[in-house]
Amino acid sequence: MSVDLPLGFDVESALSRITDLSGREQEVLMLLAHGLTDQQIAEHLSITHRTARAHTASILCKLQVTGRIQAAMVGFAVHRGSEIVNWLTRHGGTANSQGIASSS
């Protein structure tokens, strides 16, 4: 089974809008990237389901994505970037020496 990405979805463009998110929205985005539902996010952050849903809606709007899956892909891209930097550090390299730019 193959899954086609929606036409017009630009991860790089959405990534450039990450700084538009509040700190809490960035937390929610990372939880979305890990596949959590709004209810699970609410429980994890000790907030109401309605508040979690509002944060998710705000994230979709600010990143200009059409759904949770696209938002999760953006969150995963952010998370994966930090994993790459951490892996390089553990293995004696640096992000810059390997040609990977660090956004931190």
Side-chain angles (χ1 to χ4, degrees):
M1 179 172 104
S2 71
V3 178
D4 294 326
L5 291 176
L7 296 176
F9 177 51
D10 181 1
V11 176
E12 294 295 323
S13 179
L15 279 169
S16 71
R17 292 186 281 278
I18 287 288
T19 57
D20 294 344
L21 302 180
S22 70
R24 181 60 112 182
E25 288 168 341
Q26 290 178 21
E27 285 180 274
V28 171
L29 179 63
M30 290 301 106
L31 296 173
L32 284 171
H34 283 90
L36 273 65
T37 65
D38 287 339
Q39 184 60 47
Q40 292 168 323
I41 291 169
E43 292 168 5
H44 184 79
L45 297 177
S46 300
I47 58 177
T48 67
H49 178 255
R50 186 175 181 175
T51 300
R53 197 170 58 220
H55 284 311
T56 299
S58 180
I59 290 165
L60 300 181
C61 183
K62 287 181 179 180
L63 295 181
Q64 298 176 17
V65 296
T66 60
R68 298 173 68 87
I69 293 174
Q70 288 183 357
M73 290 173 67
V74 173
F76 180 76
V78 170
H79 178 68
R80 183 174 174 224
S82 64
E83 283 182 351
I84 292 168
V85 170
N86 290 337
W87 184 88
L88 287 170
T89 301
R90 284 193 314 269
H91 291 87
T94 65
N96 291 334
S97 71
Q98 301 296 323
I100 299 171
S102 174
S103 59
S104 19

